[in-house]
Structures are given as structure tokens and as C-alpha cells.
Amino acid sequence: MKKFTFLLAFCVISLMANAQISKNLQNKIEKAHEKYLKFSEMVKYAEKQTSGKTALLKSTAATQKLDSIVYLSLNEESFDWFNESKDEYYYDSEMKSTMWKNSEWSFESNSWFIWSQTDIGYDNNDMVNSIIFYNRDVETDPLIQFSKMIIYNGSTGLQDSILMYSKTELDTWVLETKQIHHYNASKQLIKTDLWAFDEDAEGLIMAQSHIYAYTESGKIKTISTMFNFGDEQIPFSKTEYSYDGSDNLISEVISTLDFETLQLKNSSRNTYKHIASGKVSESVYESWEGGVWVKVDKTESQFNSAGDVTFEIYSVWNGTAWIENEKDEYLYGATNFSDVVFPNFYILFGMEEGMEYDVSLMFNKIITGMKYYELIDGSWIHKGSSTFYYSSGTPTKINETITSHFSVYPNPAAESVSFKWNGNSEELTLEMYQITGAKVMEKKTLSGKSVSLSNLEDGVYFYKLMDGKETVHSGKLIKK
């Protein structure tokens, strides 16, 4: 809603200052103001639910699955720990995530009550094609459906479009938003058109567009947002991404429209530092004030010998120095992260090709818990905890390629590497990714055949072996 309120202010002032804008456009803007306030919330919600990701939840190599996460908080008066909330995740026999529930602790009944629920449906290619959301107003009310998403996937495995419906008081579904995705020949997302329901038009009209540009190596370069007023398009914001020589993201600069100059101007930026593996060790958020960047807050990460983050320390800028105020501690188990199935929002290789991977989610071992601290009077006070619960499980639908044997050798590798498997697939497609998510290799390979690594720099890589659209094995490879 803030975006559209700001846009209205821009429109009103620019109409007075810029005679080139037609009276007809002014009328359009004034008439559209109220409806766009509603559009903003609908579009934001739709984007939050999808974020440009596909939702392929299959992992044929998995031996465990995340069942639940329980959150505890400290009562600051009695210093007793109490249940706060719980997330539970459900899967089918193929280890595909089918539902998750969020519960809150009821002190009256001394038990959990379900606050919300999400159901997930799939098409014949194991791609998510529907998500239904449930919620309740108070503890005594039943869960009711309040919105749903219908996802259309193309033959290439990429999302073509997404429809978002809401439920009325008459228990009927109303189409409120639509996303249309456009891709280039490299399967990179280059544009997303977002449509919203217009009462005057009695149908959907295009509300805004997001336009994506990429670097030569396939990294996101810019994301531009355009608002649509009939036949007119007004640029509203732009995010520019910069990278170092290893293609690690080092800055994101966000600019928005200045309604006085009618130009995009700096608004905020994030800058990043990395460790050798490419994971972020420090991020700083700054705002643009008075023509200079002003520090706001900072996150610093510490890592263990396995390369997983152990602490994240949060600081705020007081004008002259950084002041630490919060800290998160990560706890790990012995199981490899790649051997566990997680719900939608934990997917690593479920993102659309060409979009960014979240390096921070690429753990080596599974997380068993987290502890949350606040700095009070110079001491770290433990204020909250979460515990991750897993159980064993094996998919019933496993490609025969990997049922009996798989190996990769040598690992670490120098000039070449070989992948060997038994099964019914003689040839597979090998895809190699930098730890930042950039694809650096895609080629056909045979079991036991040597694959040259001479064009790759030393470092950590992730690989996938594909049988058509099916990922039959994935893992980590070190070149040195």
C-alpha cells in the first residue's frame, strides 16, 4: 500500500509540474487510485507466495525428511520456557510435500491448536500445480479456505502463469491476480506481468510488470518495476546487482522514483562480503539520505570447519559505531543436508533456471536447532529456541538409475572427474553450478566417462545428473 500511496503523490505533483502529461492520464490516475491501493496488497501477496520459484519437491536421494519445527520462548518474568508455535510438514509416499500446518500453544487448554494450513497439489510431472490456504480467526473457529493458487507449468518445466483466487462470504472463488512469466532462449525469466481485478472493467487488467536483465555469466543484473495506467507505463523502482570477479554478489542498489525530479534516485542498498566458498560473511544495509549512504544495520556470520554458519550477529549503527544487539546460533546433526527432504521454501534446486540461488541455504549438515539471543546490559541473554525434528523415509518412486550404485571419482578432482552409475539410463545430462548458483556446465555424459574440468576454476561446485527433467543424483564436487 505504501508504494501506491507514494505513486499517487508522485502523479499529483508531476501533473502540476509537467504539462506533457495529458489531462486524460490525470483522470485515469485519479480514478484508479483506490483500486490500486487494493491491487498493491494482492500483488504483494501473490509475489510473496511464489517469488519466481518452481516447486519441484522430489528428492530421490533423500533418506530423511523434516517433520516439524517447535519454537520456544523465555518468560522474562518467571524465566520459564514455554511452547510458542509449531510447524508440521506432511509428505506422500514419494516424499513430495503435500501439506504443512502451523499451530500455536493454548495456555487455556494446555495444548496445540492449528492456526493455519496449506495444501499442495501436483501435476503428472511432479510439479506443484495448486496451493490452497486455510486460516482461522480465533481458537474456537474452524479452519476455512481463504485463498488458492493455480499454477500452470510449461513443457520445459518452467512456470507459465499463476492465478490467485480469494474466497468470498458467499463461499465462491473470485480471481483476483494473475502472473504471466516470459523467458528467453536460455530459460531465464525476463519479464513478469502482474494482473489484478478491476471492478470497472469487470475483469483483470495489467497492474505492473517486472523486467529482468542478466550479466554475461547469467547472474541477475537488474530488476525494474513498471506500473501500468491504461496505455501508460510509469517506472517505479529498479534494483541493480554487482558482482566480484568470482561472481559473488557484492551489492544490491535499490532506486525509486523521486516525484520532484521525476527521476529514479537511490533509496537503499545492501553490500556483502564473502568467505572462500562464496557464502556471505557480512551484509550491511544502508539508506540514501542527503546525498550520501547512511549505515543502518549489519549482519555478520561465523562458520565452522564444515563451512556451515554457527552464529549470525546483528548490529545497528549509532552514528559513530556498530552496536551488537541480537545473535542467532545454529546447531547441526551428522546427516548431510542433501540427504533430507524439506518443504517448498527450503528447496535449493527447485528454482527456475536463470534466477538466483540463495547461497545461505546451502548447508552441508542438517540443522537440528537454533538459539536466539539478545544483548542486555553487556551480556547475551538466551530468549528463544527452535528444535528441528526429522524422521527416516524413502521415496517409493525412485528412478532405476540410482537404485543400486552411484559414485563420483576423484573428489576432490583436478583436471577431470567421472560419474558412474548402474541402471537403465546409459546417458545422463550433467549440470554443474558454482556455489553462488551460476550454471557453468551442461553436457551429456556416459557412466564412467571422464569429464574435463579444465575450464573451471578451483573451488566448490554443485552438480546434478538429469534424466530428461528428472534429477537422479546431485551432490558437491571440489576442484583443486
Side-chain angles (χ1 to χ4, degrees), residues 103-248:
S103 300
E104 294 187 1
W105 185 256
S106 170
F107 291 97
E108 289 75 14
S109 62
N110 201 36
S111 62
W112 294 105
F113 72 94
I114 300 173
W115 187 257
S116 64
Q117 177 178 313
T118 303
D119 293 343
I120 308 171
Y122 296 83
D123 60 22
N124 293 332
N125 295 317
D126 289 342
M127 298 291 293
V128 169
N129 63 3
S130 67
I131 305 177
I132 301 176
F133 304 94
Y134 300 76
N135 208 343
R136 71 168 86 239
D137 289 331
V138 296
E139 185 176 343
T140 56
D141 289 339
L143 280 173
I144 60 171
Q145 295 178 351
F146 71 93
S147 66
K148 69 177 179 180
M149 294 172 57
I150 304 299
I151 303 167
Y152 295 91
N153 303 298
S155 58
T156 60
L158 302 177
Q159 291 177 354
D160 283 341
S161 58
I162 302 171
L163 305 182
M164 174 69 78
Y165 296 82
S166 65
K167 210 156 197 180
T168 68
E169 295 179 355
L170 300 177
D171 203 34
T172 58
W173 289 108
V174 175
L175 178 60
E176 289 199 333
T177 62
K178 175 175 69 173
Q179 295 184 36
I180 304 295
H181 302 297
H182 306 271
Y183 305 89
N184 60 19
S186 301
K187 298 182 179 180
Q188 293 171 321
L189 180 65
I190 57 175
K191 185 182 180 184
T192 300
D193 292 327
L194 298 125
W195 300 63
F197 183 78
D198 181 278
E199 294 179 356
D200 293 338
E202 297 182 347
L204 297 179
I205 64 172
M206 193 160 70
Q208 59 179 266
S209 299
H210 299 286
I211 301 170
Y212 307 86
Y214 298 85
T215 66
E216 292 183 359
S217 62
K219 307 287 288 184
I220 290 288
K221 183 179 181 180
T222 60
I223 301 177
S224 301
T225 299
M226 308 289 292
F227 282 140
N228 297 276
F229 290 93
D231 297 331
E232 306 286 343
Q233 269 199 335
I234 299 176
F236 177 75
S237 67
K238 184 177 183 179
T239 304
E240 298 177 89
Y241 300 84
S242 300
Y243 304 87
D244 61 19
S246 300
D247 255 354
N248 294 317

Side-chain angles (χ1 to χ4, degrees), residues 424-472:
N424 60 352
S425 295
E426 179 180 355
E427 183 181 69
L428 297 175
T429 299
L430 170 65
E431 296 181 0
M432 297 276 290
Y433 298 83
Q434 289 179 328
I435 197 166
T436 59
K439 183 189 291 187
V440 295
M441 181 188 297
E442 180 176 346
K443 64 182 301 181
K444 299 288 186 179
T445 187
L446 300 174
S447 178
K449 182 179 179 179
S450 178
V451 177
S452 174
L453 303 177
S454 59
N455 292 330
L456 300 183
E457 298 179 354
D458 291 352
V460 179
Y461 296 87
F462 291 94
Y463 64 83
K464 292 194 294 182
L465 286 166
M466 311 286 293
D467 186 3
K469 299 177 183 178
E470 184 80 30
T471 300
V472 297

